[in-house]
Amino acid sequence: MKTLILIVTLFFSIVIIAQQEQPDNTKTYKKRVLESTEVDFLMSYYTQEGDNAAVTGGIGTEELTDVTPTIVVAIPLNDDDVLTIDGSVSAYTSASSSNVDPFDGNAPADPFVASSGASRNDVLVTFLANYSHSSDDRNTIWSVNGSVANEYDYFSLGFGGSYTRLFNEKNTEVSIKANVFLDEWNAIYPTELRDFSTFIKFDDESRNSYSLGLGFSQILSKKLQGSLSLDLVHQEGLLSTPFQRVQFADIADVVVDQFTFGDDIERLPDTRFKIALGGRLHYYINEVIALRTFYRYYTDDWGVNSHTASIEIPIKITDQFTIYPSYRFYTQTAADYFNEFNQHLSTQRFYTSDYDLSDFDANQYGFGIGYTDIFTKFHLWKFGLKNIDFRVRHYERNSGLRSILLSGGLSFVIE
């Protein structure tokens, strides 16, 4: 708590000092970075199903639903400075996490059936504040941010900043950003392992993440824009999920009802280093159609290598309406420590049956529609409607996992 108070105090002290140091520009006109306060009301609904739940060792139901309302408020503090506040609540119901204790319901324990216990529901609350400052010529932008997230078994505190510089009459842009996340688990273990004298619990339940991102963007012609990005992430601490089971092939199974007890929990190295290199090309074919492409290569020291490629084609139907068909392909190799249900050996040091770390291919098909009211003609009290956006995405893996994400938002200008 003392650390949280210190960081929050430091964050707002920077904001106050930055405002006090602004030069007197009353004699020279300049366009404000943000003319009026803007408010975004966002909502998403996510649902998935599959049969490879990590909580039960790589088999069992992966059914999950999540509803996330979000409010984002961007406030112009003066001509150059903007404070953005982002708050969200993620309420989910998970059939797999309910089986942390499969015996707390009224039905026989079964990895393919959700238990009716309290662990099947949870709420994640997230709060983020970002302060950004633009120079008089709008060629330099820097920002600082802080965030807090909390749910029943997890707490996260984050802070960071960014610096962006524009050159060549704003045709060239370079940026650097850095973030730190200090997380703390309240480790919840599978019910059958909690009282075993031979079961080894984690001594340190903290996890720290440090990220550095570099970006370069260039307008190549009147119709073509490209960008490159490099992201580096180092993590240390508890990188395993404490309630995910592993069953060993060289130890006899213990089965109650239809449920196979875990021989241990997932155990992974306490460090991980990730590298992601990406590129984008945006081509404006004409006033009606544009082409947005993206590619990213990812690798880490756990043995995971992946490729992501996507394309989106905004099509302007009218001056106000645009549709967004899209497609995304993803493929990755398995982590060195992954194996399927009941395939690991007790002599191994690290092991997981989490299919997020398996070898798989995935396809995502998307469609969206957006409405833009340039002159904010429609009003609700003092709120002038700026735009409406709705999107649907269907995702499927060759392992059998399928999901649908519905998301939408309303953006208003406070006049």
Side-chain angles (χ1 to χ4, degrees):
M1 182 57 68
K2 291 182 179 179
T3 302
L4 174 59
I5 294 173
L6 178 61
I7 292 174
V8 172
T9 303
L10 177 61
F11 174 78
F12 284 103
S13 297
I14 293 173
V15 172
I16 294 171
I17 292 171
Q19 293 186 69
Q20 292 175 342
E21 292 180 350
Q22 301 310 310
D24 183 5
N25 293 305
T26 56
K27 297 180 180 180
T28 304
Y29 171 79
K30 58 181 176 181
K31 183 176 176 62
R32 292 168 65 92
V33 175
L34 184 65
E35 293 292 338
S36 305
T37 297
E38 297 186 358
V39 181
D40 295 337
F41 297 96
L42 311 174
M43 176 68 77
S44 68
Y45 172 79
Y46 174 84
T47 180
Q48 73 173 37
E49 59 181 16
D51 295 324
N52 298 115
V55 174
T56 45
I59 63 169
T61 178
E62 293 180 273
E63 289 184 8
L64 180 147
T65 59
D66 180 272
V67 178
T68 306
T70 302
I71 297 178
V72 181
V73 182
I75 306 169
L77 303 177
N78 50 47
D79 289 349
D80 306 321
D81 304 319
V82 177
L83 176 64
T84 302
I85 299 172
D86 183 331
S88 67
V89 177
S90 176
Y92 72 83
T93 299
S94 171
S96 62
S97 67
S98 73
N99 281 320
V100 172
D101 184 354
F103 306 103
D104 60 356
N106 299 320
D110 188 327
F112 292 95
V113 178
S115 171
S116 57
S119 60
R120 67 179 301 176
N121 302 299
D122 193 22
V123 175
L124 169 66
V125 179
T126 303
F127 174 84
L128 184 145
N130 181 86
Y131 169 81
S132 66
H133 170 77
S134 298
S135 62
D136 289 340
D137 59 8
R138 304 300 186 241
N139 286 329
T140 301
I141 306 167
W142 61 263
S143 71
V144 292
N145 66 77
S147 66
V148 177
N150 184 68
E151 59 181 319
Y152 83 104
D153 64 340
Y154 183 77
F155 176 80
S156 176
L157 181 67
F159 55 91
S162 68
Y163 179 85
T164 301
R165 179 69 178 171
L166 286 79
F167 303 93
N168 189 23
E169 297 182 345
K170 294 182 171 58
N171 290 318
T172 305
E173 177 182 311
V174 294
S175 63
I176 181 171
K177 60 181 180 180
N179 287 283
V180 175
F181 293 95
L182 308 176
D183 306 337
E184 192 74 27
W185 288 89
N186 178 18
I188 307 296
Y189 299 102
T191 184
E192 70 272 20
L193 296 175
R194 295 172 189 173
D195 298 327
F196 276 13
S197 59
T198 57
F199 175 65
I200 301 175
K201 297 182 178 181
F202 293 111
D203 294 327
D204 184 1
E205 297 182 351
S206 65
R207 176 177 64 191
N208 300 334
S209 301
Y210 311 92
S211 67
L212 176 68
L214 304 174
F216 172 79
S217 177
Q218 178 67 48
I219 297 177
L220 302 171
S221 70
K222 292 182 178 181
K223 293 187 174 183
L224 185 63
Q225 179 183 11
S227 65
L228 295 172
S229 63
L230 174 65
D231 292 290
L232 307 174
V233 178
H234 172 73
Q235 293 181 294
E236 59 185 26
L238 178 51
L239 305 184
S240 308
T241 302
F243 52 76
Q244 295 187 167
R245 293 175 174 86
V246 169
Q247 287 84 4
F248 295 133
D250 56 342
I251 294 180
D253 291 340
V254 176
V255 181
V256 176
D257 297 333
Q258 301 296 319
F259 196 90
T260 304
F261 279 10
D263 295 314
D264 198 2
I265 58 173
E266 172 185 84
R267 298 192 186 271
L268 293 167
D270 58 6
T271 63
R272 189 179 187 182
F273 185 69
K274 308 176 183 180
I275 302 174
L277 178 64
R280 296 180 184 273
L281 276 179
H282 292 179
Y283 183 69
Y284 300 89
I285 298 174
N286 52 45
E287 294 182 354
V288 177
I289 301 177
L291 195 65
R292 299 173 181 171
T293 62
F294 171 76
Y295 170 78
R296 185 187 71 168
Y297 171 73
Y298 167 91
T299 185
D300 65 32
D301 56 0
W302 285 9
V304 177
N305 299 288
S306 73
H307 301 270
T308 305
S310 68
I311 182 171
E312 182 180 67
I313 307 174
I315 303 173
K316 200 168 185 178
I317 305 301
T318 68
D319 289 341
Q320 289 79 33
F321 288 95
T322 304
I323 60 174
Y324 301 90
S326 64
Y327 170 73
R328 176 180 178 270
F329 174 76
Y330 178 84
T331 183
Q332 77 170 37
T333 61
D336 298 335
Y337 319 112
F338 172 81
N339 216 327
E340 299 177 1
F341 175 79
N342 231 349
Q343 297 298 309
H344 286 288
L345 299 177
S346 61
T347 54
Q348 294 174 277
R349 182 181 179 187
F350 300 119
Y351 31 78
T352 178
S353 293
D354 185 347
Y355 271 69
D356 286 345
L357 294 173
S358 70
D359 180 358
F360 68 86
D361 299 333
N363 296 279
Q364 178 178 280
Y365 308 90
F367 181 82
I369 184 168
Y371 169 81
T372 301
D373 187 347
I374 300 175
F375 302 105
T376 62
K377 296 178 181 179
F378 179 79
H379 284 75
L380 288 174
W381 192 47
K382 294 183 179 181
F383 291 78
L385 179 63
K386 185 178 179 181
N387 60 60
I388 304 174
D389 183 80
F390 176 78
R391 299 189 183 229
V392 57
R393 299 176 179 89
H394 173 72
Y395 173 88
E396 54 186 32
R397 290 183 188 175
N398 59 356
S399 63
L401 179 69
R402 297 172 300 279
S403 70
I404 294 177
L405 173 64
L406 304 176
S407 61
L410 300 172
S411 296
F412 292 92
V413 176
I414 298 181
E415 299 176 344

